[in-house]
Amino acid sequence: MTWLRAHFHTHKPIIAMCHLRALPGDPAYDQQRGLDCIVDAARKDLLALQAGGVDAIMFSNEASLPYLTQVPPITIACMARVIAELKPLIDRPFGVNVLWDPKASIDVAVATGASFVREVFSGVYASDFGLWNLNCGEIVRHQHAVGGAHIKLLYNIVPESAVYLAARNVVDIAVSTVFVAQPDALCVSGLTAGAEADSETLRLVKDVVPGTPVFANTGVRSDNLAATLAIADGTVTGTAFKRDGHIWNEVDVQRAREFMRIARACRGD
């Protein structure tokens, strides 16, 4: 786990999601208010998360529903613009997640200077967004080809809204993914954003890949944080920081502070 401490300056880091509003090209994009409104909303959430004491930030096009497995160039361009405008304000490690496109995530990370990405990089899944057929060898070669070898890859092996197409259990998937793909970390998710990941699944994955960091990727709240950090090496958290715990609300700095108070107590900071 040494890279976690070197990268995030703590063990069991809390990576906070900065969810962007719907972007140009998305069905819910507000053309009248425009891209500047997206930048302004992201700026407020970023500053609230940092004031709340989170360990890292991850930017995501969470409102780009329904998601695509290959995003258009406008999504990449707009995410890069938003992050670039906010970059002077970012004072801790940050990453990106372009849903659900691993190559685009790496491209935006390279363009903005992000140091990690989270995506589905391997496996074949039947999902609400169609069939996902990921080739991790091709994706990693793309990462190196575009100058992103330094970027940490967080592999989501239990992606939301999807099921592995072959009859394989999560233990086998975790073991083979670590052997074949050599991910920097694995992520275990619930059914959707904000849905709690199954604690037994989280424990099974951690037990079989003790040398690889395992993150609880969805549904971690203040009331289950201690139990989660007793198993996981960190969390990726978004909904719990929002006003009233609702995913599409703005970040509530007091909720972030309380969450991080518990995290620091669990870590012995």
Coordinates of all heavy atoms in Angstrom, one line a residue, residues 79-169:
M79 N -14.8 18.6 -20.5 CA -14.3 18.2 -19.2 C -12.9 18.8 -19.0 O -12.5 19.3 -17.9 CB -14.3 16.7 -19.0 CG -15.6 16.1 -18.8 SD -15.6 14.4 -18.3 CE -14.9 14.5 -16.6
A80 N -12.1 18.8 -20.0 CA -10.7 19.3 -19.9 C -10.8 20.8 -19.6 O -10.0 21.4 -18.8 CB -9.9 19.1 -21.2
R81 N -11.7 21.5 -20.3 CA -11.8 23.0 -20.0 C -12.2 23.3 -18.6 O -11.6 24.1 -17.9 CB -12.9 23.6 -21.0 CG -13.0 25.1 -20.7 CD -14.2 25.7 -21.2 NE -14.5 27.0 -20.5 CZ -15.5 27.7 -20.8 NH1 -16.4 27.4 -21.7 NH2 -15.8 28.8 -20.0
V82 N -13.2 22.5 -18.1 CA -13.7 22.8 -16.7 C -12.6 22.6 -15.7 O -12.3 23.4 -14.8 CB -14.9 21.9 -16.4 CG1 -15.3 22.0 -14.9 CG2 -16.1 22.3 -17.3
I83 N -11.9 21.4 -15.9 CA -10.8 21.1 -14.9 C -9.7 22.1 -15.0 O -9.1 22.5 -14.0 CB -10.4 19.6 -15.1 CG1 -11.5 18.7 -14.8 CG2 -9.2 19.3 -14.2 CD1 -11.2 17.2 -15.3
A84 N -9.3 22.5 -16.2 CA -8.2 23.4 -16.4 C -8.6 24.8 -15.8 O -7.7 25.4 -15.2 CB -8.0 23.6 -17.9
E85 N -9.8 25.2 -15.8 CA -10.2 26.5 -15.2 C -10.1 26.4 -13.7 O -9.8 27.4 -13.0 CB -11.6 26.9 -15.6 CG -11.7 27.4 -17.1 CD -12.9 28.3 -17.3 OE1 -13.3 29.0 -16.4 OE2 -13.3 28.3 -18.5
L86 N -10.4 25.2 -13.2 CA -10.4 25.0 -11.7 C -9.0 24.7 -11.1 O -8.8 24.8 -9.9 CB -11.4 23.9 -11.3 CG -12.8 24.2 -11.7 CD1 -13.7 23.0 -11.2 CD2 -13.3 25.5 -11.1
K87 N -8.1 24.3 -12.0 CA -6.8 23.7 -11.6 C -6.1 24.7 -10.6 O -5.5 24.2 -9.6 CB -5.9 23.3 -12.7 CG -4.7 22.5 -12.3 CD -4.0 22.0 -13.5 CE -2.7 21.2 -13.1 NZ -2.0 20.6 -14.2
P88 N -6.0 26.0 -10.9 CA -5.3 26.9 -9.9 C -5.9 26.8 -8.5 O -5.2 27.2 -7.5 CB -5.5 28.3 -10.5 CG -5.8 28.0 -12.0 CD -6.5 26.7 -12.0
L89 N -7.1 26.3 -8.3 CA -7.7 26.2 -7.0 C -7.5 24.9 -6.3 O -7.7 24.8 -5.1 CB -9.2 26.5 -7.1 CG -9.7 27.8 -7.7 CD1 -11.2 27.8 -7.8 CD2 -9.2 29.0 -6.8
I90 N -7.0 23.9 -7.1 CA -6.9 22.5 -6.5 C -5.6 22.4 -5.7 O -4.5 22.7 -6.2 CB -6.9 21.5 -7.6 CG1 -8.2 21.6 -8.5 CG2 -6.8 20.1 -7.1 CD1 -8.1 20.7 -9.7
D91 N -5.7 22.0 -4.5 CA -4.6 22.0 -3.6 C -4.3 20.6 -3.0 O -3.6 20.5 -2.0 CB -4.7 23.0 -2.4 CG -5.9 22.7 -1.5 OD1 -6.5 21.6 -1.7 OD2 -6.2 23.5 -0.6
R92 N -4.8 19.6 -3.7 CA -4.5 18.2 -3.3 C -4.6 17.3 -4.6 O -4.9 17.8 -5.6 CB -5.5 17.7 -2.3 CG -6.9 17.8 -2.6 CD -7.8 18.0 -1.4 NE -7.6 19.3 -0.8 CZ -7.9 19.6 0.4 NH1 -8.5 18.7 1.2 NH2 -7.6 20.8 0.9
P93 N -4.2 16.0 -4.5 CA -4.2 15.2 -5.6 C -5.6 15.1 -6.3 O -6.6 15.1 -5.6 CB -3.8 13.8 -5.1 CG -3.1 14.1 -3.8 CD -3.7 15.3 -3.3
F94 N -5.6 15.1 -7.6 CA -6.9 15.0 -8.3 C -6.9 14.0 -9.4 O -5.8 13.7 -10.0 CB -7.4 16.4 -8.7 CG -6.7 16.9 -10.0 CD1 -7.3 16.7 -11.2 CD2 -5.6 17.6 -9.8 CE1 -6.7 17.2 -12.3 CE2 -4.9 18.1 -11.0 CZ -5.5 18.0 -12.2
G95 N -8.0 13.4 -9.7 CA -8.2 12.5 -10.8 C -9.4 12.8 -11.6 O -10.1 13.7 -11.3
V96 N -9.6 11.9 -12.6 CA -10.8 12.1 -13.5 C -11.5 10.8 -13.8 O -10.8 9.7 -13.7 CB -10.5 12.8 -14.8 CG1 -9.9 14.2 -14.6 CG2 -9.5 12.0 -15.6
N97 N -12.7 10.8 -14.1 CA -13.5 9.6 -14.5 C -14.5 10.1 -15.6 O -15.4 10.8 -15.3 CB -14.2 9.0 -13.4 CG -15.0 7.8 -13.7 OD1 -15.9 7.4 -13.0 ND2 -14.7 7.1 -14.8
V98 N -14.2 9.8 -16.9 CA -15.1 10.1 -17.9 C -16.0 8.8 -18.2 O -15.5 7.8 -18.7 CB -14.4 10.4 -19.2 CG1 -15.3 10.8 -20.3 CG2 -13.4 11.6 -19.0
L99 N -17.2 8.9 -17.7 CA -18.1 7.8 -17.8 C -18.6 7.5 -19.2 O -19.1 8.4 -19.8 CB -19.3 8.0 -16.9 CG -19.0 8.2 -15.4 CD1 -20.1 8.9 -14.6 CD2 -18.7 6.8 -14.8
W100 N -18.6 6.3 -19.6 CA -17.8 5.1 -19.1 C -16.8 4.8 -20.2 O -16.8 3.8 -20.8 CB -18.8 3.9 -19.0 CG -19.7 3.9 -17.9 CD1 -21.0 4.3 -17.8 CD2 -19.4 3.5 -16.5 NE1 -21.5 4.2 -16.6 CE2 -20.5 3.6 -15.7 CE3 -18.2 2.9 -15.9 CZ2 -20.6 3.3 -14.4 CZ3 -18.3 2.6 -14.6 CH2 -19.4 2.8 -13.8
D101 N -15.8 5.6 -20.3 CA -14.8 5.5 -21.4 C -13.4 5.6 -20.9 O -12.9 6.7 -20.5 CB -15.1 6.7 -22.4 CG -14.3 6.6 -23.7 OD1 -13.2 6.0 -23.7 OD2 -14.8 7.1 -24.7
P102 N -12.8 4.5 -20.8 CA -11.4 4.4 -20.1 C -10.4 5.2 -20.9 O -9.5 5.9 -20.3 CB -11.1 2.9 -20.1 CG -12.0 2.3 -21.1 CD -13.2 3.1 -21.1
K103 N -10.4 5.1 -22.2 CA -9.4 5.9 -23.0 C -9.6 7.4 -22.9 O -8.6 8.2 -22.7 CB -9.4 5.5 -24.5 CG -8.9 4.1 -24.7 CD -8.9 3.8 -26.2 CE -8.3 2.4 -26.5 NZ -8.3 2.1 -27.9
A104 N -10.9 7.8 -22.9 CA -11.2 9.2 -22.7 C -10.7 9.7 -21.3 O -10.3 10.8 -21.1 CB -12.6 9.5 -22.9
S105 N -10.9 8.9 -20.3 CA -10.5 9.2 -18.9 C -9.0 9.5 -18.9 O -8.5 10.5 -18.3 CB -10.9 8.1 -18.0 OG -12.3 7.9 -17.9
I106 N -8.2 8.6 -19.5 CA -6.8 8.8 -19.6 C -6.4 10.0 -20.4 O -5.5 10.8 -19.9 CB -6.1 7.5 -20.2 CG1 -6.3 6.3 -19.2 CG2 -4.7 7.8 -20.5 CD1 -5.9 5.0 -19.9
D107 N -7.1 10.3 -21.5 CA -6.8 11.5 -22.3 C -7.0 12.7 -21.5 O -6.2 13.7 -21.5 CB -7.7 11.5 -23.5 CG -7.3 10.4 -24.5 OD1 -6.2 9.8 -24.4 OD2 -8.1 10.1 -25.4
V108 N -8.2 12.8 -20.7 CA -8.4 14.0 -20.0 C -7.4 14.1 -18.8 O -7.0 15.3 -18.5 CB -9.9 14.0 -19.4 CG1 -10.1 15.2 -18.5 CG2 -10.9 14.1 -20.6
A109 N -7.0 13.0 -18.2 CA -6.0 13.1 -17.2 C -4.7 13.6 -17.7 O -4.1 14.5 -17.1 CB -5.8 11.7 -16.6
V110 N -4.3 13.2 -18.9 CA -3.0 13.7 -19.5 C -3.2 15.2 -19.8 O -2.2 15.9 -19.5 CB -2.7 12.9 -20.8 CG1 -1.6 13.5 -21.5 CG2 -2.3 11.4 -20.4
A111 N -4.3 15.6 -20.3 CA -4.5 17.0 -20.7 C -4.5 17.9 -19.5 O -4.1 19.1 -19.6 CB -5.8 17.1 -21.5
T112 N -5.0 17.4 -18.4 CA -5.2 18.3 -17.2 C -4.1 18.2 -16.1 O -4.1 18.9 -15.2 CB -6.6 18.1 -16.6 OG1 -6.7 16.7 -16.2 CG2 -7.7 18.4 -17.6
G113 N -3.3 17.1 -16.2 CA -2.4 16.9 -15.2 C -2.9 16.1 -14.0 O -2.3 16.0 -13.0
A114 N -4.0 15.4 -14.2 CA -4.6 14.5 -13.2 C -3.6 13.3 -12.9 O -2.9 12.9 -13.9 CB -5.9 14.0 -13.5
S115 N -3.6 12.8 -11.7 CA -2.6 11.8 -11.4 C -3.3 10.4 -11.3 O -2.5 9.4 -11.1 CB -1.9 12.1 -10.1 OG -2.8 12.3 -9.0
F116 N -4.6 10.3 -11.4 CA -5.2 9.0 -11.3 C -6.6 9.0 -12.1 O -7.1 10.1 -12.3 CB -5.4 8.5 -9.9 CG -6.3 9.4 -9.0 CD1 -7.7 9.1 -8.9 CD2 -5.8 10.5 -8.3 CE1 -8.5 9.9 -8.1 CE2 -6.6 11.3 -7.5 CZ -8.0 11.0 -7.4
V117 N -7.0 7.9 -12.5 CA -8.3 7.7 -13.1 C -9.0 6.5 -12.5 O -8.4 5.6 -12.1 CB -8.3 7.6 -14.6 CG1 -7.6 8.9 -15.3 CG2 -7.5 6.4 -15.1
R118 N -10.3 6.5 -12.6 CA -11.1 5.4 -12.2 C -12.0 5.0 -13.4 O -12.7 5.9 -14.0 CB -12.0 5.7 -11.0 CG -13.0 4.5 -10.6 CD -14.1 5.0 -9.7 NE -14.9 6.0 -10.3 CZ -16.0 6.5 -9.7 NH1 -16.3 6.2 -8.5 NH2 -16.8 7.4 -10.4
E119 N -12.1 3.8 -13.7 CA -12.9 3.3 -14.8 C -13.0 1.8 -14.8 O -12.4 1.1 -14.0 CB -12.4 3.8 -16.2 CG -13.3 4.9 -16.9 CD -14.7 4.5 -17.0 OE1 -15.1 3.3 -17.0 OE2 -15.6 5.4 -17.0
V120 N -13.9 1.3 -15.7 CA -13.9 -0.1 -16.0 C -12.9 -0.4 -17.1 O -13.1 0.1 -18.3 CB -15.3 -0.6 -16.4 CG1 -15.3 -2.1 -16.7 CG2 -16.3 -0.2 -15.4
F121 N -11.8 -1.1 -16.8 CA -10.7 -1.3 -17.8 C -10.7 -2.7 -18.3 O -9.9 -2.9 -19.3 CB -9.4 -0.9 -17.1 CG -9.2 0.5 -16.7 CD1 -9.3 0.9 -15.4 CD2 -8.8 1.4 -17.7 CE1 -9.2 2.2 -15.1 CE2 -8.7 2.8 -17.4 CZ -8.8 3.2 -16.1
S122 N -11.3 -3.6 -17.7 CA -11.2 -5.0 -18.1 C -12.5 -5.7 -17.9 O -13.4 -5.4 -17.1 CB -10.1 -5.7 -17.3 OG -10.4 -5.7 -15.9
G123 N -12.7 -6.8 -18.7 CA -13.9 -7.7 -18.6 C -14.9 -7.4 -19.6 O -14.8 -6.4 -20.4
V124 N -15.9 -8.3 -19.7 CA -17.0 -8.2 -20.6 C -18.3 -8.2 -19.7 O -18.5 -9.1 -19.0 CB -17.0 -9.3 -21.6 CG1 -18.2 -9.1 -22.6 CG2 -15.7 -9.4 -22.4
Y125 N -19.1 -7.1 -19.9 CA -20.3 -7.0 -19.1 C -21.5 -6.7 -19.9 O -21.5 -6.1 -20.9 CB -20.1 -5.7 -18.1 CG -18.9 -5.8 -17.2 CD1 -17.6 -5.4 -17.7 CD2 -19.0 -6.3 -15.9 CE1 -16.5 -5.5 -16.9 CE2 -17.9 -6.4 -15.1 CZ -16.6 -6.0 -15.6 OH -15.5 -6.0 -14.8
A126 N -22.7 -7.2 -19.4 CA -24.0 -6.9 -19.9 C -24.5 -5.7 -19.0 O -24.6 -5.9 -17.7 CB -24.9 -8.0 -19.8
S127 N -24.8 -4.6 -19.5 CA -25.1 -3.4 -18.7 C -26.3 -2.7 -19.3 O -26.8 -3.0 -20.4 CB -23.9 -2.4 -18.7 OG -23.9 -1.7 -19.9
D128 N -26.8 -1.7 -18.5 CA -27.9 -0.9 -18.9 C -27.5 0.0 -20.1 O -28.3 0.6 -20.7 CB -28.4 0.0 -17.8 CG -29.1 -0.8 -16.7 OD1 -29.6 -1.9 -17.0 OD2 -29.0 -0.4 -15.5
F129 N -26.2 0.1 -20.4 CA -25.7 0.9 -21.5 C -25.2 0.1 -22.7 O -24.5 0.5 -23.5 CB -24.5 1.8 -21.0 CG -24.8 2.4 -19.6 CD1 -24.2 2.0 -18.5 CD2 -25.8 3.4 -19.5 CE1 -24.5 2.6 -17.3 CE2 -26.1 3.9 -18.3 CZ -25.4 3.5 -17.1
G130 N -25.6 -1.2 -22.7 CA -25.2 -2.1 -23.7 C -24.1 -3.0 -23.3 O -23.8 -3.2 -22.1
L131 N -23.5 -3.7 -24.2 CA -22.4 -4.7 -24.0 C -21.1 -3.9 -23.8 O -20.7 -3.2 -24.7 CB -22.4 -5.7 -25.1 CG -21.4 -6.8 -24.9 CD1 -21.8 -7.8 -23.8 CD2 -21.3 -7.6 -26.2
W132 N -20.4 -4.1 -22.7 CA -19.1 -3.6 -22.5 C -18.1 -4.7 -22.8 O -18.1 -5.8 -22.2 CB -18.9 -3.2 -21.1 CG -19.7 -2.0 -20.6 CD1 -20.5 -1.2 -21.4 CD2 -19.7 -1.4 -19.3 NE1 -21.1 -0.3 -20.6 CE2 -20.6 -0.4 -19.3 CE3 -19.1 -1.8 -18.1 CZ2 -20.9 0.4 -18.2 CZ3 -19.4 -1.0 -17.0 CH2 -20.3 0.1 -17.0
N133 N -17.2 -4.4 -23.7 CA -16.1 -5.4 -24.0 C -14.8 -4.7 -23.9 O -14.4 -3.9 -24.8 CB -16.3 -6.0 -25.4 CG -15.3 -7.1 -25.7 OD1 -14.5 -7.5 -24.9 ND2 -15.3 -7.5 -27.0
L134 N -14.2 -4.8 -22.8 CA -13.0 -4.0 -22.5 C -11.7 -4.8 -22.7 O -11.6 -6.0 -22.3 CB -12.9 -3.5 -21.0 CG -13.9 -2.4 -20.6 CD1 -13.8 -1.2 -21.5 CD2 -15.3 -2.9 -20.5
N135 N -10.7 -4.2 -23.3 CA -9.4 -4.9 -23.6 C -8.4 -4.1 -22.8 O -7.9 -3.0 -23.3 CB -9.1 -4.9 -25.1 CG -7.8 -5.6 -25.4 OD1 -6.9 -5.6 -24.6 ND2 -7.8 -6.3 -26.5
C136 N -8.0 -4.5 -21.6 CA -7.1 -3.8 -20.8 C -5.7 -3.6 -21.4 O -5.1 -2.6 -21.2 CB -7.0 -4.4 -19.4 SG -6.3 -6.1 -19.3
G137 N -5.3 -4.6 -22.2 CA -4.0 -4.5 -22.8 C -4.0 -3.3 -23.8 O -3.0 -2.6 -23.9
E138 N -5.0 -3.2 -24.6 CA -5.2 -2.1 -25.5 C -5.2 -0.7 -24.8 O -4.6 0.3 -25.2 CB -6.4 -2.3 -26.4 CG -6.6 -1.2 -27.4 CD -7.9 -1.5 -28.2 OE1 -8.1 -2.6 -28.8 OE2 -8.8 -0.6 -28.2
I139 N -6.0 -0.7 -23.7 CA -6.1 0.6 -23.0 C -4.8 1.0 -22.3 O -4.4 2.2 -22.4 CB -7.2 0.4 -21.9 CG1 -8.6 0.2 -22.6 CG2 -7.3 1.6 -21.0 CD1 -9.7 -0.3 -21.6
V140 N -4.1 0.1 -21.7 CA -2.8 0.4 -21.1 C -1.8 0.8 -22.1 O -1.0 1.7 -21.9 CB -2.3 -0.8 -20.2 CG1 -0.9 -0.5 -19.8 CG2 -3.2 -1.0 -19.0
R141 N -1.8 0.2 -23.3 CA -0.9 0.6 -24.4 C -1.3 2.1 -24.8 O -0.4 2.9 -25.1 CB -0.9 -0.4 -25.5 CG -0.1 -1.6 -25.2 CD -0.3 -2.7 -26.2 NE 0.6 -3.8 -25.9 CZ 0.4 -4.7 -25.0 NH1 -0.6 -4.7 -24.2 NH2 1.3 -5.7 -24.8
H142 N -2.6 2.4 -24.8 CA -3.0 3.7 -25.2 C -2.5 4.7 -24.1 O -2.0 5.8 -24.4 CB -4.5 3.8 -25.2 CG -5.0 5.2 -25.4 ND1 -5.0 5.9 -26.6 CD2 -5.5 6.1 -24.5 CE1 -5.5 7.1 -26.5 NE2 -5.9 7.2 -25.2
Q143 N -2.6 4.3 -22.8 CA -2.1 5.1 -21.7 C -0.6 5.5 -21.9 O -0.2 6.7 -21.8 CB -2.2 4.4 -20.4 CG -1.6 5.1 -19.2 CD -1.5 4.2 -18.0 OE1 -1.7 2.9 -18.1 NE2 -1.2 4.7 -16.8
H144 N 0.2 4.5 -22.3 CA 1.6 4.8 -22.5 C 1.9 5.6 -23.8 O 2.8 6.5 -23.8 CB 2.4 3.5 -22.5 CG 2.6 2.8 -21.2 ND1 3.8 2.8 -20.5 CD2 1.7 2.2 -20.4 CE1 3.6 2.2 -19.3 NE2 2.4 1.9 -19.2
A145 N 1.1 5.3 -24.8 CA 1.3 6.0 -26.1 C 1.0 7.5 -26.0 O 1.6 8.3 -26.7 CB 0.4 5.4 -27.1
V146 N 0.1 7.9 -25.0 CA -0.2 9.4 -24.9 C 0.5 10.0 -23.8 O 0.2 11.2 -23.4 CB -1.8 9.6 -24.8 CG1 -2.5 9.0 -26.0 CG2 -2.3 8.9 -23.5
G147 N 1.5 9.4 -23.2 CA 2.3 10.0 -22.2 C 1.7 9.9 -20.8 O 2.0 10.8 -19.9
G148 N 0.9 8.9 -20.5 CA 0.2 8.8 -19.2 C 0.7 7.7 -18.4 O 0.0 7.2 -17.5
A149 N 1.9 7.2 -18.6 CA 2.4 6.1 -17.8 C 2.4 6.3 -16.3 O 2.3 5.4 -15.5 CB 3.8 5.7 -18.3
H150 N 2.5 7.6 -15.9 CA 2.6 7.9 -14.5 C 1.2 7.9 -13.8 O 1.1 7.9 -12.6 CB 3.2 9.3 -14.3 CG 2.3 10.4 -15.0 ND1 2.3 10.6 -16.3 CD2 1.5 11.3 -14.4 CE1 1.5 11.6 -16.6 NE2 0.9 12.0 -15.5
I151 N 0.1 7.8 -14.6 CA -1.2 7.9 -14.1 C -1.7 6.6 -13.4 O -1.5 5.6 -14.0 CB -2.2 8.3 -15.2 CG1 -1.9 9.7 -15.7 CG2 -3.7 8.3 -14.7 CD1 -2.6 10.0 -17.0
K152 N -2.1 6.7 -12.2 CA -2.6 5.5 -11.5 C -4.0 5.1 -12.0 O -4.9 5.9 -12.2 CB -2.7 5.8 -10.0 CG -1.3 6.2 -9.3 CD -0.3 5.0 -9.4 CE 1.0 5.4 -8.7 NZ 2.0 4.3 -8.8
L153 N -4.1 3.8 -12.2 CA -5.4 3.3 -12.8 C -6.2 2.5 -11.7 O -5.7 1.5 -11.1 CB -5.2 2.3 -13.9 CG -4.4 2.9 -15.1 CD1 -4.3 1.9 -16.2 CD2 -4.9 4.2 -15.6
L154 N -7.4 3.0 -11.3 CA -8.2 2.4 -10.4 C -9.3 1.6 -11.1 O -10.2 2.1 -11.8 CB -8.9 3.4 -9.5 CG -8.1 4.0 -8.3 CD1 -6.8 4.7 -8.8 CD2 -8.9 5.0 -7.5
Y155 N -9.2 0.2 -11.1 CA -10.0 -0.7 -11.9 C -11.3 -0.9 -11.1 O -11.3 -1.5 -10.0 CB -9.3 -2.0 -12.1 CG -8.4 -2.0 -13.3 CD1 -7.3 -1.1 -13.4 CD2 -8.4 -3.0 -14.2 CE1 -6.4 -1.2 -14.4 CE2 -7.5 -3.1 -15.3 CZ -6.5 -2.2 -15.4 OH -5.6 -2.3 -16.4
N156 N -12.4 -0.6 -11.7 CA -13.7 -0.9 -11.2 C -14.1 -2.3 -11.7 O -14.4 -2.5 -12.8 CB -14.8 0.1 -11.6 CG -16.1 0.0 -10.9 OD1 -16.3 -1.0 -10.2 ND2 -17.0 0.9 -11.1
I157 N -14.0 -3.3 -10.8 CA -14.3 -4.7 -11.2 C -15.7 -5.1 -10.8 O -16.1 -6.2 -11.2 CB -13.3 -5.7 -10.5 CG1 -13.4 -5.6 -9.0 CG2 -11.9 -5.4 -11.0 CD1 -12.7 -6.8 -8.3
V158 N -16.5 -4.3 -10.2 CA -17.9 -4.5 -9.9 C -18.6 -3.3 -10.3 O -19.1 -2.5 -9.5 CB -18.2 -4.9 -8.4 CG1 -19.6 -5.4 -8.2 CG2 -17.2 -6.0 -7.9
P159 N -18.7 -3.0 -11.6 CA -19.3 -1.7 -12.1 C -20.8 -1.6 -11.8 O -21.5 -2.6 -11.8 CB -19.0 -1.7 -13.6 CG -18.8 -3.1 -13.9 CD -18.2 -3.8 -12.7
E160 N -21.2 -0.4 -11.6 CA -22.6 -0.1 -11.4 C -23.4 -0.5 -12.7 O -22.9 -0.4 -13.8 CB -22.9 1.4 -11.1 CG -22.1 1.9 -9.9 CD -20.8 2.6 -10.2 OE1 -19.9 2.0 -10.8 OE2 -20.7 3.8 -9.8
S161 N -24.7 -0.9 -12.5 CA -25.6 -1.1 -13.6 C -25.1 -2.2 -14.6 O -25.5 -2.1 -15.7 CB -25.9 0.2 -14.3 OG -26.3 1.2 -13.4
A162 N -24.3 -3.1 -14.1 CA -23.8 -4.1 -15.0 C -23.5 -5.4 -14.3 O -23.3 -5.4 -13.0 CB -22.5 -3.6 -15.7
V163 N -23.4 -6.5 -15.0 CA -23.0 -7.8 -14.5 C -22.0 -8.4 -15.4 O -22.1 -8.3 -16.7 CB -24.2 -8.7 -14.3 CG1 -24.9 -9.0 -15.6 CG2 -23.9 -10.0 -13.6
Y164 N -21.0 -9.1 -14.9 CA -20.0 -9.8 -15.7 C -20.7 -10.9 -16.5 O -21.6 -11.6 -16.1 CB -19.0 -10.5 -14.7 CG -17.6 -10.6 -15.3 CD1 -16.6 -9.7 -15.1 CD2 -17.3 -11.8 -16.1 CE1 -15.4 -9.8 -15.6 CE2 -16.0 -11.9 -16.6 CZ -15.1 -10.9 -16.4 OH -13.8 -11.0 -16.9
L165 N -20.3 -10.9 -17.8 CA -21.1 -11.8 -18.7 C -20.8 -13.2 -18.5 O -21.7 -14.1 -18.7 CB -20.7 -11.4 -20.2 CG -21.7 -11.7 -21.3 CD1 -23.1 -11.2 -21.0 CD2 -21.3 -11.2 -22.6
A166 N -19.6 -13.6 -18.2 CA -19.2 -15.0 -17.9 C -19.6 -15.4 -16.5 O -19.8 -14.5 -15.6 CB -17.7 -15.2 -18.2
A167 N -19.7 -16.7 -16.3 CA -20.1 -17.2 -15.0 C -18.8 -17.3 -14.1 O -18.3 -18.4 -13.8 CB -20.8 -18.6 -15.1
R168 N -18.4 -16.1 -13.7 CA -17.2 -16.1 -12.8 C -17.5 -15.3 -11.5 O -18.2 -14.3 -11.6 CB -16.0 -15.3 -13.5 CG -15.6 -16.0 -14.9 CD -14.5 -15.1 -15.5 NE -13.3 -15.2 -14.7 CZ -12.4 -14.2 -14.8 NH1 -12.5 -13.2 -15.5 NH2 -11.3 -14.3 -14.0
N169 N -17.0 -15.8 -10.4 CA -17.3 -15.1 -9.2 C -16.2 -13.9 -9.0 O -15.2 -13.9 -9.7 CB -17.3 -16.0 -8.0 CG -15.9 -16.7 -7.8 OD1 -14.9 -16.1 -7.7 ND2 -15.9 -18.0 -7.7

